[in-house]
Amino acid sequence: MMYHLGTALFYRRMYPEARQLFQSAIRIKHDYHEAFYYLSQTELLSARTDAAVKAGLKAVELRPQFADYRNTLGEALLAAGSCKRAVIEFEDAIKLNIYYADAYFNLAIAYTLNAVTKEDFNMYTDLTTKAMDLLNKA
């Protein structure tokens, strides 16, 4: 019940209240992957990137085959400044669902952001072609 109320509050953009409910649900059921997934999104939208990454990692740990969980973790990692780790999650999300437009878009953003931040020079090769191809797929 707390999880469902939390999702309702999440969609009403009442993030502090939703966070409390997701955390309560997780305290009761430690393997509640859906609550970890929504908690990660809530934390990300509240600009709490470290907490978003932590919740996202737990959601992916519990359900590694869920493309949405990997995409959300990738978004949190990207917000935390880790382009390389985000790319891995977006690529894994695409492997799980080749029609995942958001993951293709986010992957293009991650490659582009990496070019700006210069985190990993190995991801520079053929950047323009990669990014355009990913954006077309998105």
Side-chain angles (χ1 to χ4, degrees):
M1 188 60 109
M2 284 184 278
Y3 163 76
H4 293 294
L5 182 55
T7 58
L9 294 173
F10 171 83
Y11 286 110
R12 297 294 301 165
R13 295 183 179 99
M14 299 173 72
Y15 302 129
E17 296 84 356
R19 177 187 308 110
Q20 288 177 340
L21 289 167
F22 294 136
Q23 289 171 337
S24 295
I26 290 165
R27 275 193 294 277
I28 294 168
K29 185 178 177 188
H30 301 292
D31 62 345
Y32 205 155
H33 62 93
E34 297 99 330
F36 280 107
Y37 168 66
Y38 272 98
L39 179 60
S40 180
Q41 291 184 64
T42 301
E43 299 289 23
L44 185 59
L45 291 168
S46 300
R48 297 166 42 106
T49 54
D50 289 342
V53 169
K54 184 178 176 184
L57 284 168
K58 186 64 176 178
V60 167
E61 175 189 319
L62 292 169
R63 292 294 187 277
Q65 72 279 16
F66 284 20
D68 286 340
Y69 291 13
R70 292 195 171 273
N71 186 63
T72 296
L73 175 57
E75 289 176 333
L77 289 165
L78 200 57
S82 182
C83 298
K84 188 173 184 173
R85 288 178 60 201
V87 163
I88 293 167
E89 293 303 327
F90 296 137
E91 287 176 343
D92 285 348
I94 291 167
K95 286 177 192 170
L96 292 166
N97 179 357
I98 62 169
Y99 302 107
Y100 201 166
D102 288 349
Y104 283 110
F105 179 80
N106 289 334
L107 185 55
I109 296 299
Y111 278 125
T112 305
L113 185 60
N114 179 69
V116 172
T117 62
K118 301 174 177 82
E119 180 185 345
D120 185 354
F121 288 105
N122 293 326
M123 292 188 336
Y124 279 144
T125 52
D126 216 15
L127 173 67
T128 306
T129 305
K130 275 186 204 175
M132 290 306 297
D133 181 49
L134 292 166
L135 290 172
N136 284 328
K137 288 179 181 178

